Amino acid sequence: MPYQHVIARSAAIGTRIAADKTLPVGTRISNVPKLSAGLFVIREDALDNGSRYGLGGGNLYVIPGAARSIVASLKLDL
């Protein structure tokens, strides 16, 4: 029997400098994303010999646009 899984995630991160000797208080931290979201879909099924396999893919989006990626996955239980 085939199974399908959908995994979605999102995060809104409001990081700011609270105390520092160099950077002004209240400044956003540059390497921490403001928003991020991701979606991953996988399908699992059985082969004729009873072995199972899974095939999936996904996408990650980060604002500001420091990272965008496409993820692929293959799982075999032989």
Side-chain angles (χ1 to χ4, degrees), residues 20-32:
D20 192 78
K21 294 181 181 182
T22 307
L23 299 171
V25 173
T27 304
R28 284 196 49 81
I29 300 174
S30 62
N31 63 343
V32 177

Side-chain angles (χ1 to χ4, degrees), residues 15-57:
T15 57
R16 303 243 180 230
I17 302 291
D20 192 78
K21 294 181 181 182
T22 307
L23 299 171
V25 173
T27 304
R28 284 196 49 81
I29 300 174
S30 62
N31 63 343
V32 177
K34 188 174 182 179
L35 299 170
S36 69
L39 180 68
F40 188 77
V41 179
I42 189 166
R43 178 182 169 86
E44 295 183 8
D45 203 351
L47 299 173
D48 291 336
N49 65 4
S51 300
R52 298 198 52 80
Y53 75 93
L55 181 63

Side-chain angles (χ1 to χ4, degrees), residues 47-72:
L47 299 173
D48 291 336
N49 65 4
S51 300
R52 298 198 52 80
Y53 75 93
L55 181 63
N59 192 6
L60 170 67
Y61 189 76
V62 178
I63 299 172
R68 291 183 185 91
S69 66
I70 296 175
V71 180

